[in-house]
C-alpha cells in the first residue's frame, strides 16, 4: 500500500520564477492538504483540496495556487518566487471531510530560492 | 483553534518510558487531540489521536484527563529512533487545517 508520494525531492529556483510541486495521495484517500515548513518552524497550512475544489485556505497570498485532478493527485504552484518561499513543502492526504480524518504526510519537497 | 502548551525539550534514556505532556485548556468539546512527530527533515508522522477515552496503538498510548484540558503521550520503551519533535494538535473532525505549534524536541539517549 503506497503512502503519500511527492516530487521532486529537491528543487532550486531563482527569484521571480514559478514552480510546480506534485503529490499523490495514499491509496483510498481523496483529500489533499499542502503545508509550508520554514527552517526551525512547524508546518503552516496552505490549503486543502477535496473533489477538485479548494475547500480551506490558510494565510498565504494568491501567488500560491493549487489543483486537484480526478485521480485525487494534486499540484501546488507558486508564482513570482521570493527568497522567503524557501522551505520544505509537505503534502498530506486523508479520507473525506466529515470524519475524524487522520492526515498522512509525504516526505516533502525541499525548495530553495536563490 | 485551541492553543497548546508543550515543554520545548525533554530527554529520555533508551528503554525507558517517555511521557510527553500537552496542555490544551481551551479545547472545544468536539476537538480530538492528535499527536504527530517529525524526525529531522522528514514529513510529520501520525502517532495517535483521541477524544475522551485513553487510547493505545502499536506506537504509543494517549492519556487524556477527564476535563480534557491536558493529555500525555507515552512511548513505553523509547529507542534512539524516537528522537524527534512531537506535536500535540487539537482538531475538530472534518477540519482539514492542522495547526502545528512549536512542539517538544524529545532526545533519547543511549
Amino acid at each position: 500500500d503506497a503512502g503519500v508520494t511527492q516530487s521532486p525531492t529537491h528543487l532550486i529556483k531563482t527569484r521571480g520564477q514559478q514552480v510546480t510541486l506534485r503529490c499523490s495521495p495514499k491509496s483510498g484517500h481523496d483529500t489533499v492538504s499542502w503545508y509550508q515548513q520554514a527552517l526551525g518552524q512547524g508546518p503552516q497550512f496552505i490549503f486543502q483540496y477535496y473533489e477538485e475544489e479548494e475547500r480551506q485556505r490558510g494565510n498565504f497570498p494568491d501567488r500560491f495556487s493549487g489543483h486537484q485532478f480526478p485521480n485525487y493527485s494534486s499540484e501546488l504552484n507558486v508564482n513570482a518566487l521570493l527568497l522567503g518561499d524557501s522551505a520544505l513543502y509537505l503534502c498530506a492526504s486523508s479520507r473525506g471531510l466529515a470524519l475524524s480524518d487522520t492526515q498522512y504526510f509525504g516526505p516533502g519537497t525541499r525548495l530553495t530560492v536563490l | 483553534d485551541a492553543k497548546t502548551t508543550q515543554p520545548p525539550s525533554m530527554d529520555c534514556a533508551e528503554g525507558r518510558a517517555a511521557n510527553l505532556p500537552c496542555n490544551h485548556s481551551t479545547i472545544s468539546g468536539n476537538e480530538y487531540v492528535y499527536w504527530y512527530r517529525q524526525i529531522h527533515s522528514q514529513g510529520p508522522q501520525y502517532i495517535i489521536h483521541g477524544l475522551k477515552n485513553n487510547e493505545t496503538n502499536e506506537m504509543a498510548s494517549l492519556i487524556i484527563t477527564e476535563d480534557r484540558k491536558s493529555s500525555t503521550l507515552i512511548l513505553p520503551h523509547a529507542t534512539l529512533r524516537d528522537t524527534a519533535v512531537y506535536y500535540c494538535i487539537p482538531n475538530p473532525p472534518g477540519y482539514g487545517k492542522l495547526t502545528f505549534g512549536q512542539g517538544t524536541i524529545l532526545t533519547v539517549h543511549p
Side-chain angles (χ1 to χ4, degrees):
Chain A
D1 179 20
V4 179
T5 59
Q6 293 186 243
S7 63
T9 305
H10 296 85
L11 203 52
I12 299 174
K13 293 286 188 178
T14 57
R15 282 177 295 175
Q17 285 189 312
Q18 178 266 343
V19 68
T20 297
L21 310 181
R22 296 175 176 83
C23 171
S24 291
K26 182 179 170 67
S27 178
H29 286 184
D30 55 10
T31 304
V32 174
S33 302
W34 287 92
Y35 294 79
Q36 179 196 67
Q37 186 173 24
L39 200 62
Q41 303 296 317
Q44 300 294 308
F45 176 79
I46 302 175
F47 43 53
Q48 182 185 67
Y49 277 84
Y50 173 70
E51 292 187 337
E52 301 181 47
E53 290 187 9
E54 182 182 295
R55 296 290 178 163
Q56 290 185 61
R57 188 178 184 93
N59 188 25
F60 279 82
D62 292 344
R63 297 187 298 108
F64 289 78
S65 63
H67 187 77
Q68 186 178 35
F69 299 94
N71 67 352
Y72 309 122
S73 66
S74 176
E75 289 182 348
L76 164 65
N77 300 292
V78 186
N79 295 322
L81 285 167
L82 303 173
L83 295 179
D85 296 331
S86 294
L88 180 67
Y89 288 85
L90 296 158
C91 168
S93 74
S94 54
R95 190 164 46 93
L97 291 178
L99 304 177
S100 171
D101 51 345
T102 301
Q103 295 189 25
Y104 293 88
F105 285 80
T109 293
R110 173 73 61 187
L111 172 64
T112 301
V113 182
L114 302 177
Chain B
D1 297 342
K3 291 188 177 181
T4 60
T5 302
Q6 296 181 255
S9 63
M10 295 182 64
D11 291 330
C12 179
E14 189 176 21
R16 304 297 294 268
N19 296 283
L20 294 94
C22 179
N23 181 288
H24 35 77
S25 58
T26 61
I27 194 169
S28 299
N30 67 340
E31 286 186 307
Y32 286 76
V33 179
Y34 282 81
W35 282 82
Y36 283 79
R37 72 181 182 184
Q38 188 171 25
I39 297 169
H40 184 62
S41 295
Q42 297 182 20
Q45 178 188 23
Y46 165 77
I47 302 173
I48 198 168
H49 74 282
L51 183 62
K52 295 180 181 178
N53 301 320
N54 299 336
E55 302 287 344
T56 296
N57 63 18
E58 64 280 3
M59 290 184 66
S61 294
L62 175 60
I63 307 297
I64 303 174
T65 58
E66 191 170 344
D67 62 8
R68 299 202 341 112
K69 293 184 177 181
S70 65
S71 61
T72 300
L73 179 74
I74 301 172
L75 306 179
H77 305 286
T79 70
L80 299 180
R81 288 175 296 179
D82 291 322
T83 292
V85 181
Y86 286 77
Y87 296 99
C88 160
I89 306 173
N91 204 52
Y95 189 62
K97 172 186 172 183
L98 289 174
T99 302
F100 289 80
Q102 293 300 309
T104 295
I105 301 172
L106 174 68
T107 304
V108 181
H109 297 285

